[in-house]
Amino acid sequence: MTKERGTLQVVATPIGNLADLSPRAQQALREADVIAAEDTRRTQQLLSALGIARPLISLYEHNETQRIPELLGRLADGQTVALVSDAGTPLLSDPGYELTRAAVGAGVRVVAIPGASALTTALAVAALPAQRFCFEGFLSARAAERRAQLAALAHETRTLVFFEAPHRIRATLADMAAEFGAARAAVVARELTKVHEQVYRGALGELAAQAAREQNFERGEITLVVAGAAPAMQAAVDPVQLRRTVELLLKELPPGRAAALAAQLTGATRAEAYALVRRDTPGGAGAER
């Protein structure tokens, strides 16, 4: 008789306030055969506060690949493995991707037990557009690389969300003001859901100056939310280029196809291209074909 495989449970834990741990997550931690934790000491503190005693195994960035065979073996034996990070939802700038990928590849059932996330919590209080956003995690600790990453994102129109270490927040805000523009709206969310939670709102230049003055900016867990770039204005269409493109295409294509392709090539509207096609086509007939 084939033994049924176990389940890998991806469990979200509080980012600060213990009361944010759901009853379902508590049950999962209480019933797991083993808990794979980013930091076993931190997870042990959480379990002790909940009165839970379960076996722990470390799973962090530098040992995840080595831990996978053991955990897959447990799952193959029918055990339930709970995966947790230091805080919030695992895999969001935390280890766990390699394990979940291997589990799926082995035919193991992977279940998410949702809960707190600094990413969504910061978006909820930022008062910046959240219909479309781009999560970038942690920027490089190296100044030159960080500036290059930000330069590549300067024209991103979606709201941007970052995690940042407290000792780098001043430099990061200064770099953001330089690359995105000092007037770009942003939010620095510090110690979310905790006793000393603070949310700073303003333009990047203002926040960079405030961070340089206030030591609180360098304390605790930080999530940055930055407004996206304003959509670029459509470049003006060169009428000479449009006419020349239409003339060349009309020699090889039907009028309707020539107009459509000319619009794509020059950035003109289809109406503008069709107007030229009608003008250059005898009798103006067949331009829509």
Side-chain angles (χ1 to χ4, degrees):
M1 183 176 179
T2 303
K3 183 179 295 184
E4 185 177 352
R5 289 185 176 87
T7 301
L8 175 62
Q9 298 179 324
V10 183
V11 184
T13 56
I15 59 175
N17 193 317
L18 187 61
D20 291 335
L21 186 69
S22 72
R24 184 183 174 205
Q26 291 189 49
Q27 180 181 358
L29 295 175
R30 188 173 287 110
E31 296 178 355
D33 292 295
V34 65
I35 298 173
E38 183 179 6
D39 185 333
T40 55
R41 295 167 300 179
R42 191 160 179 172
T43 299
Q44 185 58 63
Q45 292 175 350
L46 171 65
L47 297 178
S48 297
L50 297 170
I52 296 174
R54 301 309 302 151
L56 291 170
I57 183 171
S58 65
L59 183 93
Y60 53 89
E61 180 183 0
H62 300 296
N63 79 345
E64 183 172 358
T65 301
Q66 289 71 37
R67 291 294 195 207
I68 287 175
E70 176 185 349
L71 291 170
L72 286 183
R74 288 175 176 268
L75 291 164
D77 286 339
Q79 293 188 23
T80 297
V81 176
L83 170 66
V84 300
S85 60
D86 286 352
T89 302
L91 279 76
L92 300 183
S93 287
D94 289 325
Y97 165 68
E98 296 293 343
L99 174 61
T100 55
R101 185 177 67 167
V104 169
V108 172
R109 183 169 178 248
V110 178
V111 176
I113 300 181
S117 165
L119 164 62
T120 53
T121 303
L123 280 169
V125 300
L128 292 173
Q131 294 89 342
R132 298 175 68 244
F133 63 88
C134 180
F135 176 56
E136 290 293 322
F138 285 93
L139 292 165
S140 174
R142 298 181 178 180
E145 293 180 11
R146 181 172 61 245
R147 289 287 290 265
Q149 289 173 316
L150 293 173
L153 293 168
H155 300 293
E156 172 60 62
T157 57
R158 292 172 293 179
T159 295
L160 297 162
V161 186
F162 305 86
F163 291 157
E164 190 51 282
H167 64 278
R168 289 198 296 267
I169 186 61
R170 292 180 178 178
T172 294
L173 285 170
D175 288 345
M176 285 182 170
E179 298 296 338
F180 294 163
R184 181 88 69 93
V187 168
V188 177
R190 190 181 70 82
E191 294 289 85
L192 285 168
T193 79
K194 300 178 184 178
V195 174
H196 300 293
E197 174 182 307
Q198 285 184 293
V199 179
Y200 303 92
R201 297 181 177 87
L204 281 170
E206 297 169 345
L207 291 171
Q210 189 175 3
R213 296 192 307 267
E214 297 184 21
Q215 289 187 343
N216 272 348
F217 269 79
E218 293 186 312
R219 297 190 178 111
E221 305 291 334
I222 295 171
T223 305
L224 271 164
V225 185
V226 183
M233 295 297 290
Q234 185 176 18
V237 176
D238 183 341
V240 175
Q241 180 187 13
L242 175 58
R243 172 170 287 283
R244 181 59 177 158
T245 302
V246 166
E247 290 173 349
L248 290 172
L249 292 175
L250 278 174
K251 294 178 181 179
E252 305 293 336
L253 299 171
R257 178 61 180 151
L261 188 55
Q264 294 178 21
L265 292 172
T266 63
T269 65
R270 288 196 176 191
E272 290 172 326
Y274 279 134
L276 280 177
V277 166
R278 291 191 185 99
R279 191 178 308 165
D280 294 347
T281 303
E288 300 296 332
R289 293 178 190 168

